[in-house]
Amino acid sequence: MNYNWDWGIFFKSTGIGSEIYLDWFVTGLGWTIAIALVGWVIALLLGSLLGVMRTVPNRWIAGIATTYVEIFRNVPLLVQLFLWYFLVPDLLPEPLEMWFKQDLNPATSAYLSVVVCLGLFTAARVCEQVRTGIQALPQGQTAAAYAMGFRLPQIYSNVLLPQAYRIIIPPLTSEFLNIFKNSSVASLIGLMELLAQTKQTAEFSANLFEAFTLATLIYFTLNMGLMLLMRMIEHRVAVPGLIAVGGK
Amino acid sequence: MDFSAILPALPGLWDGMLLTLQLMVMGVLGGVILGTALAMLRLSHNKWLANAAATYVNYFRSIPLLLVITWFYFAVPFILRWITGEDTPIGAFSSCLVAFIMFEAAYFCEIVRAGIQAIAKGQMGAAQALGMNYPQSMRLIILPQAFRKMTPLLLQQSIILFQDTSLVYTVGLMDFLNASRSRGDIIGQSHEFLIFAGLVYFTVSFAASLLVKHLQRRLAV
Amino acid sequence: MISIDNVNKWYADFQVLTNCSTEVKKGEVVVVCGPSGSGKSTLIKCVNALEPFQQGDIVVDGTSVADSKTNLPKLRSRVGMVFQHFELFPHLSITENLTIAQIKVLGRSKAEATEKGLKLLERVGLQDHAHKHPGQLSGGQQQRVAIARALAMDPVVMLFDEPTSALDPEMVNEVLDVMVQLANEGMTMMCVTHEMGFARKVADRVIFMDAGQIVEDCPKEEFFGDVSARSERAQQFLAKILQH
C-alpha cells in the first residue's frame, strides 16, 4: 500500500468533462446547504408550533405534540430517511406516486425526501427547546398578561414566545449546526452532497487523506461561521438587563 | 403488507441486534473513559494540554459522525500499515468502534466537564481546606458527585449512540438495520422489514428513555 | 500564629488586595469586617492558599504559604476552615463527612476517626444526626457539622469565612454559640463576619477592610469605643450596620 500524497489533487481534472475535483466539492457543499436551510425552515416552523402545543393547558393538544416528539426522537434518523425515501412514495395516491418516481429526476426526489425527513426529525428537537424556553419563564408573566385582558394566543405571540426564543438561542444554534451535519445521511440515498462527493473523490483519485481533510475543513469552517452568525443574532436581539449574553 | 415473513427471520435479526448492542456498549465504555480523560485535561491548569483537549472536542463536534465512520473505514488500514509496517487486517467492526469511541468521547467530555464544573469551586475549596491534594479531591469528592449528577445525561447520550450505530450501514456492517434491510430485500418485503426495524428501535429507545426519566426523578431527590 | 506581610493580589489587571499586613497571635480572636467586595473573603482564603497571591507572604505557624516548596495540603490539614455555604459533601453521610479527611489525609484508622468525629458532633449538639446526609439538615445544623468537621483535624487555627451570612436569621445564633464557646476555650480564630455582637463579645481585635486595603486594625475596645476616632469609611460602614 503505497500512498502518493498530492495536495494539488483538488485542481486536477476528474476525467469527466472539464471538471476539476474542487468543482465536486463546491457542488456537494451547495447540496448540503440547500438541504440544511430548507430543512431548518420546516423544523423551526413546525417545531415552534409543537413547542407551543406542549405548553398549552389542554391535555389533548399537548398529548399530540408529545407523541410526535417521542416518535421522531426514538427512531434513528437513517431509518426515518429510508421510510421517507423507499416507503412513503408507495403510499402516495397513484398520480403523485408516478410523479415522484418517474417525472422527477433522481436527485430531486432524493432531495425532497431528505428535506422532509430532516425537517420533521429536527422539528421534534426544536419543539423541546421551545417548550423548555417557555417553561423557563416565570408563571407571573402569563398571569400578568391575562390580568391585562390578553387572550391565550396573544399571550404566546406577544409575551411568551419573544422571551422564550431569546433564551433558547444557544441550544437552537446547536440544532441548526446539527442539521448541517445530519444532512450527510443524504449520501446514503445517492444524493451527491458534500460527504458523497468526498467519497467519490477519494475513490476516483485514490487521494483519500487529502479528500477527507478538505471535507473536514469545510465542515469545520461552516460550523464556525454559522456559530459566529448565531452569536451576532443573539447579541442583536438581546434585551438589555434581561439575560446575560454569550455565557460569561 | 404481510408481516408473516418476519418471524422466521428473527434469529438473523437478533444477530444484527447483538452487533448493534455490542457496538453501543463498547462505544459508550470507551467513550466515557476517553471522554473523562479529555475532561480532566480540559480542566487542567496546563494551558497547552487544556487547549489540545479543547481542539479535539471542537473538531469532532463540528463534523458529521457519518464522515468519521467513512473516513476511518478508508484510512485506518493505511495508518496501521504505516505504524506496523505490514498489512494489518482490521475489520469494519473495529474501524467503526474506533470511530464511535473517538467521536463520542468529544460529547462525553463535555458532559463530564459540565458535571465537574457544576460541583467544583466550593467543594474543591472545602476538600483542599481539609488538606486533600488535587487527585484526592477529584477522586473522593468531585467525581463521585459529578458522575451521580450526570448519570441521566450519560444514559441519554448512550440512547443516542444506540440509534447512531445504524450509520454503520454505510460500510456494510450487519447491524440490526442492515440485517433487516438485506433480509427484506431478499424476499421482496423490504417495506415490512423496514417498518419492523423502526418499531424495534422505537420500542427500545422509548423504553430506555422512560427508565432514564424515572432515574432522573429519583436522583433529583 | 498567622502573620500576613504586605500581600498584594490581582485578578488580571484588577487589584483585589493592596499591601495587606496584620498578625493573629496564638489564642487570639480576630474579626475581619468591611463592605462586600472589600477583599476580606479573598484575604482569609489567602491564608490557607485557596486563593493564590502574587506579592508578599503569609506565614502560618512557622510555614510560609508563598514558598513554592511548602506542602500545601499538609499546611491546610492544620488550618480549619468554615465556609459561607457550608460545603459539606452531599454524597457522604454526616459521619463520613467528619471522618473522610481524618482517614485519607491524616491517615487515622476508621475507628479512631469515627470516635473523634462523633465526639465533636456531640459537642455541637447533633449526635442524633450522624447517619443522615447533609441535605436532610437545616442550614444552621449543616454549619455546625462543618465546624465539627474542621475541628476533627485538630487545627492550630480556625478560619471562618462569613459563616452565618447564608443562614436564615433564626439559625444564626446556634452557630454563633458554637463559635463563642470555641473562642472561650482559647482557639486561635480569624473570622470574616458582619456579626458585630459576636465581635463585641469575644474578639480581641477588629480589622476593617475597604477596597482591598486594611483600613483599621485595632483592639476591640478601641474599635467600638470612640466611633469618631475611626476612619470615615469605617464610620459609614458602622453607621449602616449598627443602626439595626
Side-chain angles (χ1 to χ4, degrees):
Chain A
M1 273 204 242
N2 283 318
Y3 190 84
N4 295 313
W5 288 96
D6 180 8
W7 289 101
I9 186 71
F10 305 117
F11 300 100
K12 294 198 171 141
S13 168
T14 59
I16 299 171
S18 59
E19 282 179 331
I20 56 174
Y21 284 113
L22 193 61
D23 292 333
W24 287 6
F25 281 88
V26 173
T27 312
L29 179 60
W31 276 116
T32 293
I33 292 174
I35 298 166
L37 287 186
V38 177
W40 181 246
V41 172
I42 298 173
L44 205 54
L45 293 176
L46 180 59
S48 298
L49 177 66
L50 289 164
V52 167
M53 284 168 69
R54 285 204 72 168
T55 61
V56 161
N58 176 315
R59 280 239 306 268
W60 288 103
I61 296 179
I64 292 170
T66 308
T67 310
Y68 178 96
V69 169
E70 293 301 350
I71 291 172
F72 281 83
R73 262 211 315 208
N74 286 307
V75 176
L77 177 60
L78 189 54
V79 175
Q80 292 188 30
L81 181 62
F82 286 164
L83 288 168
W84 286 109
Y85 185 65
F86 295 114
L87 180 85
V88 171
D90 286 355
L91 305 176
L92 293 173
E94 190 78 13
L96 263 178
E97 185 186 343
M98 282 301 135
W99 169 76
F100 188 85
K101 286 183 174 170
Q102 290 176 1
D103 297 350
L104 290 181
N105 77 41
T108 314
S109 57
Y111 176 75
L112 284 180
S113 303
V114 82
V115 161
V116 170
C117 170
L118 275 176
L120 300 197
F121 175 83
T122 311
R125 285 144 198 283
V126 171
C127 162
E128 288 306 273
Q129 308 297 358
V130 171
R131 176 179 73 108
T132 315
I134 292 173
Q135 288 176 342
L137 301 172
Q139 294 272 311
Q141 292 283 307
T142 311
Y146 270 125
M148 293 166 76
F150 281 116
R151 280 171 296 111
L152 193 59
Q154 295 176 309
I155 295 177
Y156 273 99
S157 60
N158 294 303
V159 180
L160 299 179
L161 281 175
Q163 296 185 58
Y165 278 128
R166 287 183 169 86
I167 299 176
I168 61 170
I169 287 178
L172 272 189
T173 302
S174 80
E175 288 308 333
F176 186 44
L177 300 176
N178 278 341
I179 204 170
F180 279 85
K181 287 180 266 175
N182 284 336
S183 69
S184 60
V185 292
S187 66
L188 296 176
I189 56 168
L191 189 65
M192 294 307 284
E193 47 65 73
L194 188 52
L195 178 57
Q197 301 279 8
T198 309
K199 244 158 81 178
Q200 184 170 267
T201 303
E203 278 159 2
F204 266 57
S205 69
N207 288 94
L208 68 101
F209 284 96
E210 293 87 336
F212 277 102
T213 305
L214 180 62
T216 303
L217 276 178
I218 295 174
Y219 277 115
F220 191 77
T221 315
L222 197 60
N223 216 51
M224 290 296 152
L226 292 169
M227 208 137 71
L228 285 180
L229 178 75
M230 292 300 282
R231 216 164 275 170
M232 269 165 54
I233 294 176
E234 191 183 357
H235 276 276
R236 171 140 324 163
V237 301
V239 178
L242 187 59
I243 305 155
V245 168
K248 289 167 200 174
Chain B
M1 293 255 170
D2 174 14
F3 288 90
S4 58
I6 287 175
L7 201 59
L10 279 182
L13 297 184
W14 175 244
D15 287 344
M17 182 52 87
L18 280 183
L19 188 132
T20 292
L21 292 175
Q22 209 181 344
L23 261 181
M24 181 200 86
V25 170
M26 292 168 78
V28 167
L29 285 180
V32 167
I33 293 170
L34 182 56
T36 307
L38 281 167
M40 302 303 243
L41 290 183
R42 279 205 77 167
L43 294 169
S44 85
H45 293 298
N46 183 327
K47 273 216 174 97
W48 197 87
L49 286 177
N51 282 336
T55 309
Y56 178 98
V57 170
N58 288 333
Y59 172 79
F60 275 100
R61 278 164 64 101
S62 61
I63 58 179
L65 175 56
L66 195 56
L67 176 92
V68 182
I69 294 173
T70 317
W71 191 358
F72 275 46
Y73 180 67
F74 278 108
V76 166
F78 277 97
I79 295 172
L80 278 179
R81 156 103 190 159
W82 291 330
I83 295 171
T84 63
E86 55 195 84
D87 280 332
T88 316
I90 169 171
F93 181 84
S94 307
S95 84
C96 283
L97 182 59
V98 173
F100 278 127
I101 289 176
M102 296 195 61
F103 183 84
E104 291 298 324
Y107 287 81
F108 283 126
C109 166
E110 291 306 273
I111 295 175
V112 175
R113 185 171 71 116
I116 291 175
Q117 279 176 333
I119 312 288
K121 268 271 151 160
Q123 289 281 300
M124 185 55 114
Q128 292 189 330
L130 286 168
M132 294 187 196
N133 57 29
Y134 187 82
Q136 278 178 323
S137 315
M138 269 292 166
R139 190 165 49 83
L140 298 171
I141 305 302
I142 307 292
L143 283 181
Q145 293 182 61
F147 269 103
R148 188 170 306 194
K149 227 174 210 163
M150 65 207 180
T151 303
L153 272 179
L154 290 175
L155 291 175
Q156 263 162 25
Q157 187 66 26
S158 309
I159 297 174
I160 294 174
L161 181 60
F162 170 70
Q163 297 182 23
D164 282 348
T165 51
S166 59
L167 294 175
V168 300
Y169 176 85
T170 188
V171 298
L173 211 53
M174 274 295 160
D175 74 319
F176 181 64
L177 174 61
N178 209 357
S180 309
R181 278 209 37 87
S182 59
R183 254 149 244 273
D185 277 346
I186 292 169
I187 55 172
Q189 296 193 343
S190 52
H191 289 354
E192 288 84 348
F193 276 78
L194 190 55
I195 291 173
F196 178 71
L199 283 174
V200 170
Y201 276 112
F202 173 80
T203 310
V204 175
S205 305
F206 185 60
S209 65
L210 286 185
L211 274 177
V212 172
K213 259 182 218 149
H214 178 71
L215 184 75
Q216 202 164 14
R217 235 171 282 136
R218 276 195 41 199
L219 282 179
V221 178
Chain C
M1 184 62 69
I2 302 174
S3 92
I4 299 174
D5 182 23
N6 256 312
V7 167
N8 284 281
K9 175 178 171 65
W10 290 265
Y11 286 127
D13 291 338
F14 180 68
Q15 184 155 14
V16 281
L17 294 177
T18 308
N19 295 327
C20 292
S21 296
T22 188
E23 205 163 337
V24 181
K25 292 195 192 68
K26 193 168 187 319
E28 211 174 21
V29 176
V30 174
V31 163
V32 184
C33 61
S36 62
S38 59
K40 52 197 193 303
S41 274
T42 309
L43 181 66
I44 201 171
K45 281 182 178 146
C46 285
V47 172
N48 62 351
L50 285 184
E51 291 274 0
F53 49 90
Q54 285 81 21
Q55 275 176 21
D57 196 6
I58 298 178
V59 177
V60 180
D61 197 25
T63 311
S64 159
V65 173
D67 188 345
S68 61
K69 288 193 288 293
T70 297
N71 181 343
L72 286 179
K74 191 164 176 210
L75 170 74
R76 288 176 185 138
S77 69
R78 302 170 57 227
V79 178
M81 184 159 205
V82 176
F83 296 84
Q84 184 179 0
H85 297 288
F86 333 135
E87 304 298 352
L88 294 180
F89 304 132
H91 62 306
L92 303 177
S93 71
I94 299 303
T95 310
E96 287 168 326
N97 263 284
L98 291 163
T99 55
I100 186 165
Q102 292 187 67
I103 296 169
K104 301 286 177 180
V105 176
L106 300 181
R108 288 179 184 157
S109 74
K110 196 172 169 196
E112 188 189 356
T114 310
E115 195 197 327
K116 172 121 199 162
L118 292 180
K119 204 188 278 171
L120 285 161
L121 196 59
E122 198 180 335
R123 184 168 152 188
V124 297
L126 294 169
Q127 59 276 24
D128 298 339
H129 301 275
H131 297 291
K132 290 188 180 167
H133 277 73
Q136 297 166 291
L137 300 188
S138 74
Q141 291 172 326
Q142 290 193 47
Q143 194 61 300
R144 279 146 68 196
V145 173
I147 295 173
R149 178 176 75 175
L151 292 174
M153 306 292 285
D154 294 321
V156 293
V157 51
M158 286 284 286
L159 308 175
F160 291 85
D161 183 13
E162 305 205 29
T164 56
S165 56
L167 293 175
D168 290 336
E170 73 270 22
M171 295 175 181
V172 169
N173 281 332
E174 59 184 89
V175 172
L176 288 180
D177 288 345
V178 173
M179 291 170 64
V180 168
Q181 191 193 350
L182 209 53
N184 290 337
E185 286 166 14
M187 174 61 79
T188 312
M189 292 164 64
M190 185 167 173
C191 313
V192 172
T193 181
H194 288 162
E195 298 294 336
M196 288 303 125
F198 170 79
R200 278 217 173 92
K201 204 184 276 177
V202 295
D204 296 300
R205 276 182 21 250
V206 177
I207 289 173
F208 172 76
M209 288 184 72
D210 190 30
Q213 286 175 305
I214 293 181
V215 182
E216 303 272 353
D217 182 352
C218 53
K220 163 181 72 178
E221 296 75 15
E222 199 177 314
F223 189 81
F224 292 113
D226 182 8
V227 175
S228 61
R230 303 275 69 78
S231 69
E232 199 179 320
R233 283 183 289 183
Q235 283 186 37
Q236 284 169 358
F237 176 76
L238 284 172
K240 272 181 208 149
I241 211 159
L242 294 177
Q243 260 168 12
H244 310 291

